[in-house]
Structures are given as structure tokens and as C-alpha cells.
Amino acid sequence: MATTSTTGSTLLQPLSNAVQLPIDQVNFVACQLFALLAAVWFRTYLHPSKTSSFIRHVVATLLGLYLALFCFGWYALHILVQSGVSYAIMVIVGAENMHRYCFVFALGYLIVCQITRVYIFDYGQYSADFSGPVMIITQKITSLAYEIHDGMFRKDEELRPSQRDLAVRRMPSLLEYLSYNCNFMGILAGPLCSYKDYITFIEGRSYHVAQAGADGKEKPHREPPEPSPNGAVVQKLLVCGLCLLVHLTVSDMLPVEYNIDAHFQATASWPTKVVYLYVSLMAARPKYYFAWTLADAINNAAGFGFRGYDRNGEARWDLVSNLRIQQIETSTSFKMFLDNWNIQTALWLKRVCYERATWSPTIQTFILSAIWHGVYPGYYVTFLTGGVMTLAARTMRNNLRHYFITSPQLKLLYDVITWMVTQIAVSYTAVPFVLLSIKPSLMFYSSWYYCPHIIGILVLLLLPAKKTQRAKNTHENMQLSQSKKFDDPESSWGQNSFSTTNNVCAQEPASRHSLLKQ
């Protein structure tokens, strides 16, 4: 295997040669494992009961910057430049317009970094480069800017309940801001978290939550014993190990590129093409499972990610989880798949785009998602296709599902069929995301004669777009509202569209109690 160059440390080059993996990937994994150990130390020796929030902020920030420097060398300066300029914008512009200026600057800076990285240095290479952390920090900068705007400028009655819970009522200090952006738990692979959740964790208030009773109502506030994340961390590390094993042993045996191999296209039967499409895209997912689950375990090991207690009194450590593997692999709808894939990015898209869009929120959300992911043409092909597939899937569900829920047998048949269709549709949609370039992407779609595209468009043209009752109620409320631009988009769009309508949002803490309100 060819060795990839790196702008970061070459200390682990001998290990890279021994395991036959690129040095940048070895650096990334090594730094994440170091972060895991540091997280355990951080929770044990820098517990909020033993030290001040100031010390916890300083240590988390310095460790994060060190990891970035080790992985990316001087390219780590991009993280500081983007964060520093954005903070200056917040201070100078003020709460009324900071969200607009920060959004344009942070996303623009990310685009420039991606263009430089892709078209000047390293086209087509999947390397653990500096653009990954810049993508995460772009989410954090824009999220925080909107949260400050909501908390310091907008009136409470204009805010949704989730926006009211996340609203930041005072300007963060520079240290708090840098700690949020650059902490060692999330600087390399995220995931995104809200500013208030992070500050609550640093200050040691994340465990003081109300517990739901059997009737679903909150019990009176009490001081529960601090839950241990060890069980959740061990479980997630076992998942990481399994995913890494599958990635190293199976993924190379089932390359996605083989879908456009001339001999395969000429000789394979249609069932063979369909099966290989599914298994090759399924084999491409474990590397994402590994990276996101490890990042989740690191946060949990530090004591971050506690979501409260379920009705049985069991601690939940999924506040910053980025995926649910079982739900992904058993998805029976496009929406269900997206709801459980890259969850925190879906929440970001929902909060900064979908909920605030004044026209066609689904289309705007797909466009923003494509821009954020990068500048490879394949990304845009995937997200444009995804828009058609999402709307077609919603229309099909609204028009057909009620015929299949009259008996358990029909419901089972419906679930089996929709699972098969969903997995093939997702795989078909995602191929350009892996192939990156426009020519091989169109070559693949041509080999399928664009059939899923055509079917999706025909569904949208021929079947009526039924509104749910919730959509009708929302439309009526929208007409009566004095603040139309803040109306509830949880309509038929929201019920069945892009992952920004994430089910996770429906679960967004009721466990976000009064202690989260600054």
C-alpha cells in the first residue's frame, strides 16, 4: 500500500509501514486513542468536584490543540484562524446579525479550505486531513451564533421550544468559546454538541436531571448518584473493534468502484448487480461506524454525553451519539435511514437551515448539506438524487402505507418490501458520494438506465402529494401567527423529508431541564 504524505508528525511512520496504512490515518487513530485515555484521566482527576471550570476549559483546549498539531502540523492554524475571526465577528457585529456574518464567513472559509485541499493538493484521496476538523468547527461556530442570536436578540415567544432550550443568554468568554470549539474530545472527529450542553458538562451540572416516572411526568428534583459511563464506553469500544475488523478484512474485498467495472457491467445479471450494489455500499459503512462510535466513546469516557435517565432509571449516554447502527441496517424508509445516520449533522442542518428557511426548506437543506460536505461533484450528484428519492419515498408512503396496516401479515410484507427498496435506493443514491467524480458517477447511473431517478420523478408527478393532519394544522396556525417566518415546519415535509427532521429532535430533552437555562 502506498504511503500517504502528511503535514503532521512522522513519529509513527515505522508503525505506519508495519501495518501498511497511511501515516495520516495512523496519526488519527493514535490521537483518538490518546484522547480516550486523556478522557478517563480528565473525568477522574479533573472532576468538577475537584477543580474549577477554568482549569477544565484550559486543559481541554490545550490537549485539543496539541492533537490537531500532531495530526496536521501547521495546517492546524486553520482551526484557530476560523475560530478567532468568527469570535471577532460575534463581538463586533453583535447579537442582531452575528448569525448571518458568522454563517457566511465560517462556511466560506470551509469551502476555500476544501477547494485548496481537493484541487490543489490531493484530489480523490480519502485522507485524514485538516478539512475534517474545520467541518466540525463550522457547525459549532454557526450553531453558537444562532443560539446567541436566539438568546440575546429574539423574543422568547418567537422561539420554538428547542430553540428556547438551546438559546445562549450571554456572550461566551474567549476561553469558553475556544474550549467549545477545540476541546480534545471532539476536535478530530466531533461530533457536534450544543454550547449549553458542553458548558453544563464542564461545570459539572449535566447529572442533575429530573427522572421520569412511570406516568411520564418528571419526579421532583433530587440529587441522584453520578452515573458511570464505563459500561457505555466498553460497549462502544467493542463495536469499534468489530467495525475496524470488518473494514480491514471485508471492505477491500468489495470495492464500490467494481460497480462500474466494464467486465462486470457487461457480464453480470441484474440480480447480481443489485446484490453487489447493496453489499459493496454496506461494506463501505464500517469505517464511518468506527470513527463516529470511537468519538462518542471518547466523549462518554470524559463524562460527556449523559442524556438523563429512562423510565426504568437507567442512565442514557447518547446525547452526542452520531449514529444507530441497528436502525441504519434495518431501515424501512429513506427517512429512517437518514434519521439514524450522522445524527448530529442532521440536527445542525435542522437548526440552522430547515427550521429557519423561508422557502423550500428541504431543497435548501440538501444544498447546504452538499456544500458542507465538500466540493467533489459526486457529493452534489448524491444530494440532488437524495432530494428526489426522499420526496418520492414520502409520497409513496403517504399514498400506500395505510393499505398494509390492516393486518400483521400485510404489515410484515410491507416492512420486507420497503426494507429491500430502501436499502437499494440508499445504495444507488450514495454511489457518487464514494466515487467522487462526475464521469464515473454518471457511468454508474447510466448502467442502471437512470431507472430509480425515472421512477422517483414519475411517483412525484403521478401520485398526489397528500398532507398530513399535522401539516394542515400547521398551515392554519401559520396564517394566524404574527411571526410567520418562525412558523412550525413540522409538516408533511418535516415528517418524511431529509434527516434534518431527525427523530432525535423529538427526544431532545424533555431532559433539558431548567438547569440548562442560563
Side-chain angles (χ1 to χ4, degrees):
M1 179 181 292
T3 302
T4 304
S5 61
T6 180
T7 57
S9 173
T10 57
L11 179 66
L12 299 179
Q13 187 67 60
L15 177 60
S16 172
N17 296 337
V19 298
Q20 289 293 291
L21 288 174
I23 180 64
D24 57 343
Q25 295 180 18
V26 171
N27 282 349
F28 172 81
V29 174
C31 283
Q32 286 294 76
L33 293 177
F34 174 82
L36 180 65
L37 297 176
V40 175
W41 172 82
F42 189 82
R43 178 169 58 90
T44 304
Y45 294 100
L46 294 182
H47 190 273
S49 63
K50 299 179 181 179
T51 189
S52 67
S53 299
F54 176 82
I55 297 298
R56 283 166 62 85
H57 278 306
V58 169
V59 172
T61 304
L62 292 179
L63 283 175
L65 292 176
Y66 171 76
L67 294 180
L69 187 64
F70 186 91
C71 278
F72 312 119
W74 70 268
Y75 277 93
L77 288 175
H78 285 292
I79 295 171
L80 288 176
V81 171
Q82 187 189 34
S83 297
V85 173
S86 296
Y87 188 78
I89 291 173
M90 290 179 182
V91 172
I92 295 171
V93 173
E96 181 177 358
N97 294 305
M98 68 164 64
H99 58 301
R100 297 189 181 96
Y101 288 94
C102 284
F103 183 89
V104 171
F105 169 76
L107 193 63
Y109 194 92
L110 172 63
I111 293 171
V112 170
C113 288
Q114 289 172 330
I115 291 174
T116 302
R117 177 248 170 174
V118 169
Y119 292 106
I120 297 179
F121 296 115
D122 202 20
Y123 190 93
Q125 296 297 314
Y126 279 109
S127 57
D129 69 288
F130 72 97
S131 66
V134 174
M135 292 170 71
I136 300 298
I137 290 176
T138 297
Q139 292 183 340
K140 291 185 175 182
I141 290 170
T142 53
S143 293
L144 179 56
Y146 275 101
E147 289 162 5
I148 295 174
H149 171 72
D150 290 342
M152 297 180 63
F153 178 74
R154 293 174 64 189
K155 298 177 181 179
D156 275 0
E157 56 267 26
E158 296 177 339
L159 302 177
R160 299 166 170 277
S162 61
Q163 292 172 342
R164 197 175 300 118
D165 282 340
L166 296 174
V168 176
R169 308 293 178 177
R170 66 170 180 84
M171 185 68 189
S173 69
L174 180 59
L175 176 60
E176 291 171 330
Y177 174 82
L178 289 177
S179 176
Y180 171 61
N181 279 346
C182 304
N183 68 81
F184 72 95
M185 300 172 295
I187 193 168
L188 297 183
L192 170 70
C193 62
S194 77
Y195 175 79
K196 291 183 74 171
D197 283 333
Y198 180 74
I199 293 299
T200 298
F201 154 71
I202 288 292
E203 295 177 354
R205 297 183 286 116
S206 55
Y207 302 122
H208 304 161
V209 299
Q211 183 175 353
D215 58 358
K217 297 181 179 180
E218 290 187 352
K219 295 180 179 179
H221 177 73
R222 64 185 180 87
E223 292 291 337
E226 182 175 315
S228 171
N230 293 341
V233 171
V234 170
Q235 181 182 8
K236 290 171 183 179
L237 290 179
L238 290 175
V239 172
C240 285
L242 179 61
C243 291
L244 182 61
L245 179 64
V246 172
H247 172 62
L248 294 177
T249 57
V250 177
S251 296
D252 289 343
M253 299 168 54
L254 299 167
V256 175
E257 292 77 9
Y258 192 63
N259 284 284
I260 58 172
D261 179 80
H263 177 73
F264 176 75
Q265 289 185 352
T267 59
S269 63
W270 267 104
T272 302
K273 290 181 179 180
V274 171
V275 171
Y276 187 81
L277 172 66
Y278 168 65
V279 297
S280 63
L281 267 295
M282 182 173 62
R285 291 197 282 268
K287 64 182 176 183
Y288 298 102
Y289 294 165
F290 168 77
W292 288 339
T293 305
L294 179 57
D296 193 12
I298 291 168
N299 281 273
N300 291 170
F304 186 36
F306 177 64
R307 196 186 184 94
Y309 296 91
D310 62 20
R311 296 186 177 185
N312 298 320
E314 297 294 327
R316 300 168 59 195
W317 289 92
D318 60 349
L319 179 64
V320 293
S321 294
N322 220 10
L323 77 168
R324 301 185 188 91
I325 297 174
Q326 182 178 351
Q327 286 85 340
I328 288 171
E329 299 299 342
T330 59
S331 295
T332 57
S333 70
F334 214 91
K335 177 184 181 296
M336 182 178 175
F337 186 98
L338 294 173
D339 278 351
N340 293 286
W341 173 268
N342 206 354
I343 293 169
Q344 301 306 322
T345 292
L347 289 174
W348 171 69
L349 290 166
K350 175 180 186 291
R351 291 166 182 165
V352 305
C353 182
Y354 190 93
E355 289 185 340
R356 303 173 193 269
T358 54
W359 59 271
S360 190
T362 298
I363 300 302
Q364 287 193 51
T365 301
F366 271 106
I367 292 172
L368 175 58
S369 184
I371 293 172
W372 177 81
H373 275 88
V375 294
Y376 287 114
Y379 294 165
Y380 295 84
V381 175
T382 284
F383 286 108
L384 288 173
T385 302
V388 174
M389 297 298 173
T390 300
L391 299 178
R394 180 199 66 178
T395 303
M396 289 283 289
R397 178 183 175 86
N398 288 345
N399 281 274
L400 300 178
R401 185 176 183 273
H402 57 278
Y403 294 115
F404 292 88
I405 58 176
T406 55
S407 71
Q409 294 80 10
L410 284 176
K411 179 64 167 59
L412 177 61
L413 176 63
Y414 177 84
D415 287 342
V416 171
I417 294 174
T418 52
W419 175 81
M420 294 173 61
V421 172
T422 296
Q423 297 300 324
I424 297 304
V426 168
S427 300
Y428 175 87
T429 301
V431 167
F433 192 93
V434 179
L435 298 180
L436 301 178
S437 299
I438 192 71
K439 184 177 179 180
S441 299
L442 297 182
M443 185 185 303
F444 167 74
Y445 282 157
S446 296
S447 71
W448 279 62
Y449 303 104
Y450 293 91
C451 287
H453 283 90
I454 295 171
I455 293 172
I457 293 171
L458 288 177
V459 165
L460 293 175
L461 292 176
L462 299 179
L463 293 181
K466 296 182 179 180
K467 285 186 177 181
T468 63
Q469 184 61 41
R470 188 172 185 176
K472 295 175 183 177
N473 293 340
T474 297
H475 180 69
E476 293 172 1
N477 292 338
M478 190 170 60
Q479 291 179 323
L480 296 173
S481 174
Q482 294 180 352
S483 181
K484 292 184 179 181
K485 66 178 180 178
F486 299 120
D487 62 321
D488 185 3
E490 297 261 349
S491 61
S492 58
W493 286 94
Q495 290 296 305
N496 298 282
S497 72
F498 182 62
S499 62
T500 51
T501 57
N502 213 300
N503 285 344
V504 178
C505 303
Q507 303 168 3
E508 274 194 66
S511 59
R512 288 188 193 280
H513 46 90
S514 60
L515 282 172
L516 290 182
K517 298 178 182 178
Q518 294 185 354

